Amino acid sequence: MSTAFRTCPVTRLKVHSQADALIKANAVAATIFLIVGGIAAFLVLLTRWQVVHLLDAAWFYRMLTIHGMSMLIFFILFFEMAVLYFAGPVVLSSRVPAPRIGWLSFVVMAIGALTVEWAMWTGRADVMFSSYVPLKAHWSYYLGVILFAVGALTVVGLFFASLVVAKRERTYEGSIPLVTFGALTAAIIAVVTLGHGAAIYIPTFLWSIGVMHVDPAVYRLVFWGLGHSAQQINLGAMVALWYMLGALTVGAVVLNEKISRSAFVLYILFINMAAAHHLLVDPVAGPAWKVWNTSYAMYLAVLASMVHGFTIPAGIEVGQRLRGVTQGMFGWLRKAPWGDPGFSSLIFSIVIFGFVGGITGVTFGTEQINLIAHNTLRIPGHFHATVVGGTALAFMGATYYLIPLIFRKQVAFWPLAKIQPYVFAFGMLVFTMAMTFAGTFGVPRRHWDITFSNTSFDLQYSPAVDLVIGIMAVGGLIAALGGAMYVLVTVWSVFFGRRFDLETVKTGGQI
Amino acid sequence: MHTALEPPKGVWWKPAGRAEKLWVGIAFGWCLVLFAMMPLWHLKGEQNTTGIRRKVEPEAFQARTIEFIQQYQIGTEKGIPVVEPPPGSDVYLLARMWNWVPILKLQKGAEYTLHLSSMDLNHGFNLYPMNINLQVVPDYDYALRIVPGEAGDLRIVCNEFCGIGHHTMIGKLIVVDESAETVTYGGGER
Ligand code: HEM
Ligand SMILES: [Cu+2]
Ligand SMILES: [Cu+2]
């Protein structure tokens, strides 16, 4: 058994070879879908910027579906599978129980994802990721999603099993670390989420082959039970990675386990109900249901994020002071390792998620403001701040540690890697704010032609809209450049990079 | 002190520090403010999304809309009937791939019950330039009490993806100011 483990020279954690391999496989798959989704983002962006108006209408809607699925579902979830293998077996220095099941799940997820990609690229599923019934895709699309979800759920089960195994085999002393706890909350939310997923995709699949009826309003309700909860998996995983990056970059400490863990538990308890904010301007539910679910329930989840938004920077400050960085009130921040892409990603992720994503989210989630925000560009403006500026950027930051610690390669093109988070975060900040602002004029999302050139009635938005969309495009292009830098650095490091060992670190030899 | 990657040993359920307690208090207080605002806005605010909610067969809704058009039609524009219902009445707006039927002519300041539904897919009701957005779901009648607040030649943009012609789906809605019109045409009667 012992040969299956290596000891990480930096963290002193014992890493099981199967954990290593599964993390690598899932991270590589995530990156492949990031590339696909990124290319789609570029094309969609250049079409919405009507000065260029690159794609025709059919390919615009197709690419938008491809972008949403490849990014939000495949990239994010494959990466989260890697996070689960890390936060379970690696952090607890234990083995991966039943690694074969891990590989089987990986294959099932890959088959599911490829099936969906095939359906989308061949024009069999021009339905957007939300695929609102009765807008119908080819049955293979729904089947692919189901396969992907089954695979993901199995990995979640394996994560739970790894906690049990680690406890039983006493690979650690005391309670599970906070990072693992955060991943555990994400995993629990994943079970709830995927339950909704089964409850909606199985009937919809049956509907697509003509053996069942699905009510359009029920679809929207259950779909968002899946779709919104899925964002809380991302949230849980992202916050766990925030704590991890704090620890790895500056030795940030946990101020109080009780507070941080209770905040994670709030996510589990309340986030599911907050899915109601997707239905605020729907015809079906009543006002009491809308108000209850989107205020009482949602704000307790918001509270949790506000708590983490305090404890993580505070933990960084205390960690820095313990390491002797004590000058003045903000010396800990000024003297922080801003050249470490793991650290800069962490800070930008917190800031963009909290300020841009959080504030837009809380406001759009109220009944009356939703009336002026629903399905306008405000909505993608909001969620690119949460899931891209927040989650994807945190994943990028984590990758800069994944490469040396798991792939055991040096990060290639180090000067490029150093500035990558700055480029991506700046671009995303401009992109999301401009997009949100464009939405205030009522500009619709998912729309190929806001000049309404071929329609029976004319409509001319204020000239300011052209300007704002132009700014959005420039921000998006800068972010896309940041994304391309990330892909270049990671792919090069992993496939052509030099081996990483402690000697190079000691001599400061990052190339 | 330990990092988030290290397992805490022993009992970790310990009282929080002063700064943390203070922050949790502030955050919780802020949440309470938000809690209070939600119902308050609903009661005090002018615009809610609450309608009289009913399930409806698309065919039945279509039949009702046709009947409504026949009753109050005053003209046609671009092949779409223009309809002027009396204040206080039930008005029907049907969404289908890819137009909005009919063109409603409403009076500023009068109350109507606006019935929205779809013949086929989900559509999005986006009123330009007011920027009011509602989801239009097939099989459901979204009946909202509305009072047009501003006169104008308005547009209804579909903002839910509804197939390849989605971006061509734009409708028209006219709000007239009766009192202003009387003045314009110089009619003596009031
Ligand atoms: C440089 C990076 C990116 C750029 C420039 C970009 C750009 C865009 C644009 C222009 C849209 C279309 C908005 C509309 O017309 O409604 C869009 C939609 C979307 N994006 Fe991104 N995006 C990026 C990265 C991401 C990432 C990393 C994710 C997820 C993790 C993501 C998730 C989505 C989703 C879910 C949609 C909505 C699709 C739909 O309406 O069905 N994006 N993005
Ligand atoms: Cu439509
Ligand atoms: Cu549409």
Side-chain angles (χ1 to χ4, degrees):
Chain A
M1 217 43 223
S2 62
T3 51
F5 283 90
R6 65 180 175 89
T7 302
C8 173
V10 179
T11 59
R12 314 305 307 166
L13 293 168
K14 277 166 66 199
V15 186
H16 187 217
S17 61
Q18 287 293 328
D20 256 346
L22 283 162
I23 291 175
K24 285 182 191 171
N26 281 286
V28 168
T31 308
I32 291 171
F33 286 103
L34 178 69
I35 294 170
V36 174
I39 292 168
F42 183 73
L43 299 174
V44 165
L45 180 73
L46 288 184
T47 309
R48 288 241 42 169
W49 189 20
Q50 296 212 209
V51 176
V52 182
H53 216 213
L54 190 63
L55 301 174
D56 65 23
W59 273 100
F60 170 74
Y61 294 124
R62 192 161 299 156
M63 272 305 159
L64 189 51
T65 311
I66 291 167
H67 173 62
M69 285 305 281
S70 306
M71 288 295 206
L72 192 65
I73 313 296
F74 304 142
F75 156 60
I76 291 270
L77 273 152
F78 269 122
F79 202 97
E80 276 163 1
M81 300 299 115
V83 171
L84 286 183
Y85 287 118
F86 176 81
V90 175
V91 173
L92 299 178
S93 289
S94 86
R95 63 190 170 88
V96 177
R100 280 206 200 141
I101 295 185
W103 288 108
L104 183 68
S105 320
F106 178 74
V107 171
V108 170
M109 286 173 75
I111 293 174
L114 291 175
T115 309
V116 171
E117 291 285 349
W118 172 79
M120 293 188 302
W121 284 91
T122 55
R124 287 172 169 82
D126 296 334
V127 292
M128 306 290 136
F129 78 90
S130 48
S131 60
Y132 293 134
V133 164
L135 184 61
K136 196 182 277 180
H138 188 250
W139 56 265
S140 58
Y141 172 85
Y142 306 106
L143 191 64
V145 173
I146 292 170
L147 282 178
F148 186 79
V150 167
L153 192 58
T154 313
V155 176
V156 171
L158 216 52
F159 171 75
F160 292 137
S162 72
L163 297 188
V164 175
V165 165
K167 177 110 212 148
R168 195 179 297 153
E169 296 178 359
R170 296 178 199 283
T171 60
Y172 64 97
E173 255 177 82
S175 308
I176 55 172
L178 185 57
V179 168
T180 310
F181 190 85
L184 175 61
T185 58
I188 292 171
I189 298 171
V191 174
V192 178
T193 304
L194 295 167
H196 283 92
I200 199 59
Y201 273 99
I202 293 171
T204 306
F205 167 67
L206 294 174
W207 165 76
S208 72
I209 56 174
V211 299
M212 195 177 155
H213 172 75
V214 177
D215 183 284
V218 172
Y219 179 89
R220 285 177 59 80
L221 174 71
V222 187
F223 176 82
W224 285 113
L226 158 75
H228 189 71
S229 309
Q231 303 321 307
Q232 310 315 310
I233 311 176
N234 304 342
L235 176 59
M238 172 184 73
V239 176
L241 289 183
W242 284 352
Y243 280 109
M244 181 196 84
L245 284 170
L248 289 176
T249 55
V250 294
V253 296
V254 182
L255 294 183
N256 185 292
E257 292 277 357
K258 177 176 76 174
I259 297 279
S260 295
R261 288 179 196 228
S262 306
F264 272 120
V265 172
L266 285 179
Y267 286 150
I268 305 182
L269 294 181
F270 292 103
I271 209 61
N272 189 33
M273 289 179 253
H277 66 231
H278 290 268
L279 311 181
L280 278 172
V281 298
D282 268 37
V284 184
W289 185 87
K290 288 176 182 175
V291 168
W292 167 263
N293 284 301
T294 57
S295 65
Y296 292 83
M298 194 171 93
Y299 295 146
L300 286 173
V302 172
L303 174 66
S305 294
M306 289 175 74
V307 170
H308 292 307
F310 176 83
T311 58
I312 293 171
I316 292 173
E317 175 179 350
V318 175
Q320 283 279 70
R321 287 182 191 280
L322 287 176
R323 295 197 319 169
V325 188
T326 50
Q327 303 97 316
M329 183 103 110
F330 289 107
W332 61 274
L333 195 59
R334 236 176 331 160
K335 293 264 157 58
W338 289 100
D340 174 351
F343 183 81
S344 53
S345 303
L346 165 65
I347 299 298
F348 298 146
S349 172
I350 294 176
V351 170
I352 298 178
F353 179 88
F355 287 94
V356 187
I359 291 171
T360 53
V362 169
T363 45
F364 301 168
T366 56
E367 196 187 11
Q368 294 182 326
I369 299 176
N370 196 258
L371 194 64
I372 59 170
H374 181 74
N375 273 358
T376 67
L377 276 182
R378 275 181 169 166
I379 303 302
H382 152 70
F383 67 68
H384 279 83
T386 54
V387 85
V388 188
T391 307
L393 186 51
F395 287 2
M396 290 175 176
T399 311
Y400 293 115
Y401 281 84
L402 201 65
I403 292 172
L405 300 184
I406 300 292
F407 286 92
R408 282 179 285 161
K409 293 286 174 74
Q410 282 177 37
V411 176
F413 309 124
W414 185 245
L416 203 64
K418 271 165 99 164
I419 58 166
Q420 186 273 333
Y422 291 83
V423 176
F424 190 76
F426 174 74
M428 260 302 141
L429 204 59
V430 174
F431 174 73
T432 53
M433 304 229 282
M435 205 178 208
T436 309
F437 193 53
T440 61
F441 294 91
V443 177
R445 69 184 284 199
R446 298 176 164 176
H447 204 282
W448 180 67
D449 183 15
I450 56 165
T451 63
F452 300 94
S453 49
N454 268 320
T455 54
S456 32
F457 302 106
D458 65 317
L459 190 164
Q460 180 107 54
Y461 286 111
S462 141
V465 168
D466 292 337
L467 178 66
V468 177
I469 296 270
I471 296 174
M472 174 187 111
V474 172
L477 288 174
I478 295 173
L481 176 68
M485 286 160 69
Y486 168 81
V487 168
L488 177 68
V489 168
T490 51
V491 171
W492 196 276
S493 312
V494 166
F495 293 104
F496 314 106
R498 296 214 283 171
R499 275 204 82 68
F500 169 88
D501 53 56
L502 207 53
E503 277 317 300
T504 34
V505 176
K506 281 190 185 134
T507 54
Q510 267 156 327
I511 317 265
Chain B
M1 287 279 191
H2 61 279
T3 73
L5 285 169
E6 290 157 337
K9 304 199 173 65
V11 179
W12 47 260
W13 190 267
K14 292 187 193 134
R18 238 172 55 89
E20 263 184 306
K21 270 195 191 140
L22 185 67
W23 176 252
V24 173
I26 292 172
F28 190 66
W30 173 239
C31 289
L32 288 180
V33 172
L34 293 174
F35 285 166
M37 289 310 285
M38 276 291 256
L40 221 68
W41 254 321
H42 183 85
L43 296 173
K44 284 268 167 210
E46 304 255 283
Q47 288 173 347
N48 285 318
T49 60
T50 317
I52 309 151
R53 310 172 305 277
R54 231 181 266 119
K55 247 197 114 122
V56 65
E57 289 292 316
E59 291 72 30
F61 191 87
Q62 187 182 33
R64 187 70 198 88
T65 308
I66 291 171
E67 196 185 314
F68 164 74
I69 292 169
Q70 283 164 352
Q71 212 170 350
Y72 301 118
Q73 183 165 6
I74 56 166
T76 309
E77 193 182 338
K78 305 261 164 78
I80 296 178
V82 184
V83 174
E84 186 172 13
S89 59
D90 280 46
V91 303
Y92 291 81
L93 184 63
L94 183 130
R96 63 176 187 216
M97 294 153 83
W98 290 288
N99 47 41
W100 300 90
V101 188
I103 297 170
L104 294 169
K105 188 170 177 191
L106 306 177
Q107 280 177 26
K108 181 183 160 182
E111 193 184 275
Y112 302 87
T113 305
L114 173 65
H115 294 265
L116 284 169
S117 192
S118 160
M119 283 303 292
D120 36 58
L121 307 174
N122 271 264
H123 296 278
F125 174 97
N126 165 260
L127 189 65
Y128 174 85
M130 285 82 196
N131 188 18
I132 290 175
N133 303 279
L134 299 161
Q135 187 79 19
V136 183
V137 182
D139 296 359
Y140 289 87
D141 178 358
Y142 201 161
L144 293 140
R145 296 238 164 71
I146 57 158
V147 179
E150 253 173 83
D153 177 13
L154 315 181
R155 294 288 178 272
I156 305 166
V157 177
C158 178
N159 69 3
E160 184 55 81
F161 175 67
C162 56
I164 182 72
H166 162 58
H167 47 273
T168 63
M169 181 161 167
I170 180 166
K172 178 168 167 164
L173 193 151
I174 308 157
V175 177
V176 289
D177 192 339
E178 276 298 310
S179 50
E181 223 169 13
T182 324
V183 175
T184 319
Y185 299 125
E189 93 275 32
R190 270 235 63 194

